[in-house]
Structure formats: C-alpha cells, structure tokens
Amino acid sequence: AYEKLWLALSIVLILALIGTVTYGAVGPGVAMVADTQQTVDSGALDEDERFSEPRVEQVGENEYEAYVVAYQFAFEPSPIVVPANSTVTLHVTSRDVIHGFEVAGTNANTMVVPGEVSEITVETDEPAEYGIVCNEYCGAGHHVMEGKLHVV
Ligand code: CUA
C-alpha cells in the first residue's frame, strides 16, 4: 500500500514540476530581468538631455536604453518603440510627484520617484503592444495616466 502512495506522490510532484516549467515558458512577450532603483541628484536630472528629450537609444546589436519621463498625467515618450528579441533597459524618472510604471500583463513594474531613476531591464521576444499604467495615486488624472510600449 505504501508503494502505491509513493507512486501517486511522485506523479503529483512530476506534474507540479511540469506545470511550473510550462507556466514559466508561456509568460508574456516581455519578461522582467532586473528592477533596481538609483538615486540621482534631481538638479543633475534637470540638465540630463536624455530625460529632457525622452527617447530610445540603441547601445548594442540587440540592446536598447529607453529614457522615460512620467508626469501628471502621462508618460513620455509614448509609445516607447523597441525591437523584438532585444534587451531593453528602461530608465524612468518623474518630473513632479511619485508615479508608478507598470507594463500591463507583465511583471515589469516599478515606482517612479522625482529626483530618482528607476531601472527595469526587459527581454522582448515577439512583436506586441502593451499598455503602461500608473499604479501609484498621483492626483486627479491618475486613472487616465497611461502610456504604450510597442515591441516591433
Ligand atoms: Cu501617475 Cu498615478
């Protein structure tokens, strides 16, 4: 009787393992790799032209850096356009109050604090369009604050 129990238990464990692996592999087209928060002097940020002209820059064969500014009540640039099958580091800061930056349907999610730069590195695979939502209450227009991420 014990043998049957062990057999049943092993099957359950194997199925659980397969389930975990499958779930991991079938994730969305954007996977978050890292989420770090850097503190940068806000005065220096004002002079940083990458944030005064938010944009995406190519820094390697399949590597991109995006400079994104959140403000009441939008994200810039929008859409953020990045190629499929690439590594994209998003540098996000705020011009006014604390905002959130969440790529809807993925685990790319960070708080955006004025005077600081939040970094998220994502791996893109297939072309897709994502919404970017603010998930920190930031004022009267919070619920309409959104952006777009286009993987092309
Ligand atoms: Cu920005 Cu809520």
Side-chain angles (χ1 to χ4, degrees):
Y2 274 116
E3 279 156 38
K4 275 188 182 164
L5 188 65
W6 280 114
L7 188 66
L9 208 62
S10 318
I11 290 169
V12 167
L13 280 173
I14 288 164
L15 287 178
L17 196 69
I18 291 169
T20 308
V21 170
T22 310
Y23 181 78
V26 177
V30 165
M32 185 171 82
V33 173
D35 179 6
T36 56
Q37 195 115 7
Q38 282 187 344
T39 303
V40 176
D41 178 63
S42 53
L45 268 181
D46 289 341
E47 292 157 21
D48 190 331
E49 46 121 25
R50 295 172 304 185
F51 288 107
S52 58
E53 273 181 63
R55 63 191 151 189
V56 177
E57 286 180 356
Q58 184 167 14
V59 293
E61 197 180 341
N62 293 306
E63 285 179 49
Y64 296 82
E65 311 239 313
Y67 295 88
V68 181
V69 175
Y71 57 93
Q72 289 166 318
F73 296 98
F75 296 97
E76 210 181 305
S78 187
I80 299 165
V81 181
V82 292
N85 302 306
S86 58
T87 302
V88 183
T89 302
L90 298 146
H91 307 264
V92 193
T93 191
S94 168
R95 193 183 286 170
D96 39 42
V97 300
I98 291 177
H99 296 280
F101 179 95
E102 180 178 354
V103 182
T106 77
N107 61 352
N109 181 15
T110 187
M111 206 192 247
V112 184
V113 181
E116 296 186 10
V117 178
S118 301
E119 290 186 359
I120 307 178
T121 302
V122 298
E123 304 283 345
T124 64
D125 53 15
E126 293 175 6
E129 295 190 3
Y130 298 89
I132 294 169
V133 295
C134 175
N135 54 16
E136 294 283 336
Y137 183 74
C138 55
H142 163 70
H143 62 287
V144 295
M145 180 166 171
E146 58 184 19
K148 296 259 181 261
L149 173 67
H150 289 182
V151 179
V152 297

